[in-house]
Amino acid sequence: MKKIKILSISLLTAITFGCSDDFLEKLPEDSLVEETVFTTDKNFETYSWSFYNVFPGYDSSDWDETVDAELSGDLMVRGSGALGNSWLWQRVTVPASTSSWSGPYGYIRRANLMLGNIEGSELTDDEKRHWESIARFFRAYNHYKLLVKYGEIPYVDKVLTDADEDVLFGPKNTRDEVASKLLEDLKFAEQNIDDRAANTVGVDVVRAMISRFGLFEGTWRKYHALGGEQTYLQASADASAKLIASNPTLHSKYDELFNSESLSGVSGVLLYKTYLFGELTHILTSRHRNSAGYWDLTKKGVDLYLCKDGKNRWVSDMFDGDEDPYDEFRNRDERLYFTTVPPFKVETGGRSSEWDYTDDPADREYLDIMANLSDDLHKGTPTANWNGFVIKEEPHFRLSNNGQGFNVSYTGYRSHKYYNNLNTGIQNQDFADAPVFRMGEVLVNHAEAMFELGRFNQAVADATINKLRKRGNVADLKVASIPDDPTRDADVDAVLWEIRRERAVELMHEGFRFNDIRRWKKLQEYGAEEKLGRYVNNADYGNKLPIQGGASAGYISPYGVPPGVPDYYYLYPIPTEELVLNPQLTQNPGWPSSAEEEE
């Protein structure tokens, strides 16, 4: 049985130190409770468990935010046939309240409560430094979540009481103030934290967070012309360089990072959320196996995957064309096969869970490839729904589905990154572990930060991009001879384009893309693009599919051309209830400050 290390908050901690001010006010002697709990090293450890709930996993609430961050970008689309994404179609409204604002502040309060009780405890000096590091890490992590969305925010570094009106009812801190405090907390943690136990926050996790934060803040500052980017880019590069030196080995099987019963001991996984059947489960695999997921890649997303010769589909001699699904997937980066379902056809003969090959040998090309790359527990192909009913054909469209209305796609590129066969026959009781920080992200962070610092060269490419390409069975990136890409954004250097391509491919459907195009200041440009799907002859599908320009054959276009994204969409709107509670808290530019203004 797996030992759960990142799990739900213990009952004692939830009752005593939950974020509900109403409940805390009912405790008769709050200071006595703090003195009782914040005493020994073990007490601090028990209290710290509550912090880990902030990390995203495969739970429903966590995953909703991850999905939104992908569908709001340019490489994925919700294949349900509903209206296009709210961010890209100018339908975002200002919420009265939202957990993306209140949630992080709740965790910040917990961290500050812990920090305020370290000195009066029974801890040794080493233990004090460790638990201060833990608290400061989580304080930084939660301020980062706010900074990414809202920009300038109130920075809170102590437990607030009624006497702290200057903070409770004060203005925002500047971005400079918030970012510098955040980096200060993380650097303290890097220098003082102990590596206590497996799968807990230690120095590697702290460095992974510095790598992530430094890249985001540095590039945001550069591309939004704020200045001061060098400090953060250098912090990112330094932290990721240390991680690369201490974690030289990547797990060889990309798919197993996301579809393993246990990630314990898996190389390259720095922190993960543990699930256990019957105790702590999630819904993610079921969403890939029923009619509720509707997560598709776009044509643009699929086109980013290179051919095995290291060249893009536009110039590679290995690319056989995209008008036939079998041709399009041939000789591609193998991460593509683990991210969207390869094409196939099988015969079921009226049965539901059994299948045979068709009479056409071409229909089994990718069935044989997947049998080589994976196994029945992971990417067993043909795919099946939660009840074991076999899908007869991929691509498998929502509007033309052979009578199988599950596991359907709108663009023809159905995502199955989190599809596995660990648990069948029971919906929403999935238990594959979820990576929280992994070296794949660190490597693309380092490559990008080094480019932005002007220090990307072949040695850096070999230590980062080429490690990831090797896992996809793709030829190395040669910095001195970058293949031409006619679809390259003319504003982006050819080397940086390849770095960003690698990031998109490695992190596809993991929740990074929306924030990436925001920090590059490309949300308006890429958000105005028409999201397309496969090339199809509509007559083959009963003329039921929406084709670009209304043509009889061409690329699927689920929604048409979006209206474009307003400039002020780069920052999220602050909830109106917060503005009412604190008149000095100003709304982000462009967003209404009240419901009346919005109307």
Side-chain angles (χ1 to χ4, degrees):
M1 181 177 290
K2 297 185 292 183
K3 184 177 180 181
I4 299 175
K5 292 197 172 75
I6 299 182
L7 71 174
S8 297
I9 180 175
S10 70
L11 181 60
L12 172 64
T13 308
I15 292 175
T16 309
F17 295 105
C19 297
S20 170
D21 290 336
D22 290 340
F23 186 83
L24 286 174
E25 287 173 2
K26 297 175 184 177
L27 293 174
E29 296 184 28
D30 186 66
S31 61
L32 179 60
V33 174
E34 291 182 36
E35 290 171 4
T36 302
V37 172
F38 293 114
T39 51
T40 67
D41 183 75
K42 187 64 178 176
N43 293 148
F44 276 84
E45 179 184 35
T46 301
Y47 179 80
S48 74
W49 291 345
S50 67
F51 295 146
Y52 286 80
N53 291 314
V54 73
F55 290 130
Y58 295 159
D59 313 54
S60 180
S61 57
D62 295 334
W63 192 246
D64 286 345
E65 187 170 347
T66 301
V67 168
D68 286 344
E70 288 291 356
L71 302 182
S72 302
D74 53 334
L75 304 183
M76 292 193 70
V77 65
R78 183 175 294 281
S80 62
L83 295 174
N85 176 266
S86 295
W87 285 92
L88 305 182
W89 287 80
Q90 299 188 22
R91 295 198 312 274
V92 178
T93 58
V94 181
S97 62
T98 174
S99 60
S100 68
W101 178 275
S102 60
Y105 277 119
Y107 281 104
I108 290 166
R109 182 184 186 282
R110 296 182 194 183
N112 285 331
L113 187 62
M114 182 167 161
L115 285 165
N117 282 277
I118 288 176
E119 278 307 313
S121 69
E122 300 171 8
L123 300 176
T124 66
D125 288 344
D126 286 345
E127 290 168 346
K128 286 179 179 179
R129 283 190 291 271
H130 173 72
W131 291 116
E132 182 177 352
S133 298
I134 290 289
R136 290 179 71 164
F137 170 85
F138 282 102
R139 182 170 69 183
Y141 182 90
N142 285 284
H143 276 112
Y144 169 75
K145 285 169 66 78
L146 292 162
L147 180 72
V148 163
K149 290 186 174 182
Y150 300 103
E152 293 183 347
I153 54 168
Y155 182 85
V156 183
D157 60 2
K158 62 181 179 179
V159 176
L160 301 179
T161 68
D162 291 342
D164 296 304
E165 291 191 8
D166 58 326
V167 180
L168 286 168
F169 304 107
K172 304 173 186 175
N173 291 88
T174 67
R175 190 177 191 112
D176 285 345
E177 290 171 333
V178 176
S180 63
K181 287 287 189 182
L182 204 162
L183 187 58
E184 180 183 312
D185 273 350
L186 290 174
K187 286 191 170 181
F188 178 91
E190 181 188 15
Q191 294 163 8
N192 293 281
I193 202 166
D194 292 335
D195 285 324
R196 287 288 189 99
N199 203 34
T200 57
V201 173
V203 68
D204 280 1
V205 173
V206 174
R207 287 172 176 161
M209 184 59 207
I210 296 174
S211 169
R212 179 183 296 179
F213 160 65
L215 179 66
F216 181 91
E217 186 62 15
T219 50
W220 184 285
R221 286 170 173 273
K222 175 180 177 177
Y223 292 105
H224 290 259
L226 301 181
E229 63 265 23
Q230 293 293 110
T231 296
Y232 298 96
L233 292 169
Q234 190 63 58
S236 176
D238 290 346
S240 53
K242 292 171 186 174
L243 281 168
I244 292 168
S246 61
N247 294 270
T249 305
L250 290 178
H251 187 61
S252 61
K253 295 187 176 182
Y254 180 75
D255 185 54
E256 290 182 2
L257 296 171
F258 315 101
N259 295 288
S260 291
E261 183 176 355
S262 174
L263 289 175
S264 176
V266 173
S267 55
V269 176
L270 306 176
L271 190 73
Y272 61 93
K273 186 167 184 176
T274 304
Y275 294 92
L276 185 64
F277 182 71
E279 293 189 26
L280 184 64
T281 57
H282 60 82
I283 54 88
L284 187 52
T285 302
S286 292
R287 291 296 183 269
H288 279 298
R289 299 167 64 93
N290 60 24
S291 57
Y294 294 129
W295 304 315
D296 293 357
L297 274 67
T298 62
K299 178 68 177 168
K300 179 181 179 180
V302 170
D303 283 347
L304 288 174
Y305 289 80
L306 296 171
C307 294
K308 291 185 183 297
D309 60 4
K311 298 179 181 180
N312 62 74
R313 56 144 294 182
W314 310 102
V315 300
S316 173
D317 292 335
M318 300 183 78
F319 187 70
D320 291 336
D322 65 1
E323 293 189 10
D324 177 87
Y326 296 97
D327 289 344
E328 183 179 19
F329 270 58
R330 195 169 295 123
N331 303 318
R332 304 293 289 274
D333 184 330
E334 290 172 359
R335 288 171 292 183
L336 177 63
Y337 307 146
F338 291 126
T339 307
T340 184
V341 190
F344 64 82
K345 288 183 183 178
V346 296
E347 296 284 355
T348 62
R351 297 160 295 178
S352 57
S353 58
E354 298 178 13
W355 61 276
D356 296 305
Y357 295 113
T358 71
D359 293 334
D360 186 350
D363 291 337
R364 64 177 289 174
E365 177 180 357
Y366 295 95
L367 298 177
D368 293 341
I369 288 174
M370 293 308 292
N372 237 357
L373 294 178
S374 190
D375 55 55
D376 288 341
L377 276 182
H378 294 91
K379 288 295 186 289
T381 310
T383 55
N385 80 341
W386 67 274
N387 207 25
F389 293 175
V390 172
I391 302 300
K392 302 173 186 176
E393 179 180 6
E394 286 283 354
H396 178 55
F397 293 104
R398 186 181 73 88
L399 299 177
S400 178
N401 55 42
N402 293 318
Q404 296 181 302
F406 43 84
N407 296 33
V408 293
S409 168
Y410 214 41
T411 68
Y413 301 115
R414 178 166 64 90
S415 174
H416 74 153
K417 185 164 185 171
Y418 305 94
Y419 173 96
N420 61 65
N421 290 317
L422 294 174
N423 185 28
T424 59
I426 306 175
Q427 288 207 74
N428 304 329
Q429 294 293 312
D430 305 317
F431 51 85
D433 284 353
V436 176
F437 288 101
R438 65 182 186 89
M439 285 301 297
E441 181 204 347
V442 172
L443 295 184
V444 289
N445 288 350
H446 188 63
E448 188 178 344
M450 291 294 280
F451 179 88
E452 297 291 1
L453 290 166
R455 300 207 299 273
F456 187 85
N457 54 27
Q458 190 61 49
V460 176
D462 291 341
T464 58
I465 302 297
N466 291 335
K467 282 187 175 182
L468 300 172
R469 285 193 177 190
K470 200 171 268 64
R471 187 159 60 186
N473 199 16
V474 174
D476 285 352
L477 170 70
K478 300 298 183 184
V479 177
S481 55
I482 301 291
D484 179 52
D485 185 343
T487 65
R488 174 169 63 88
D489 184 337
D491 296 336
V492 181
D493 179 271
V495 176
L496 181 58
W497 183 254
E498 294 306 314
I499 293 170
R500 290 183 179 181
R501 177 204 304 279
E502 192 65 33
R503 180 179 184 86
V505 166
E506 178 68 18
L507 303 179
M508 187 74 73
H509 205 169
E510 294 182 46
F512 289 92
R513 184 66 178 184
F514 185 49
N515 287 336
D516 286 342
I517 63 177
R518 287 175 63 233
R519 63 186 174 87
W520 299 331
K521 207 173 183 185
K522 290 291 182 179
L523 175 60
Q524 289 171 286
E525 184 177 342
Y526 298 171
E529 296 172 351
E530 185 176 10
K531 289 190 176 185
L532 300 175
R534 283 187 184 276
Y535 185 98
V536 296
N537 184 334
N538 213 359
D540 295 338
Y541 298 96
N543 293 310
K544 296 179 179 179
L545 305 181
I547 308 298
Q548 186 180 30
S552 60
Y555 299 108
I556 293 172
S557 178
Y559 311 119
V561 181
V565 181
D567 183 64
Y568 65 88
Y569 266 39
Y570 277 103
L571 294 176
Y572 284 58
I574 295 174
T576 55
E577 286 184 2
E578 301 297 332
L579 302 175
V580 171
L581 288 169
N582 179 5
Q584 291 200 66
L585 185 65
T586 55
Q587 180 61 279
N588 277 328
W591 294 103
S593 297
S594 66
E596 288 77 11
E597 284 185 41
E598 194 161 21
E599 292 173 359

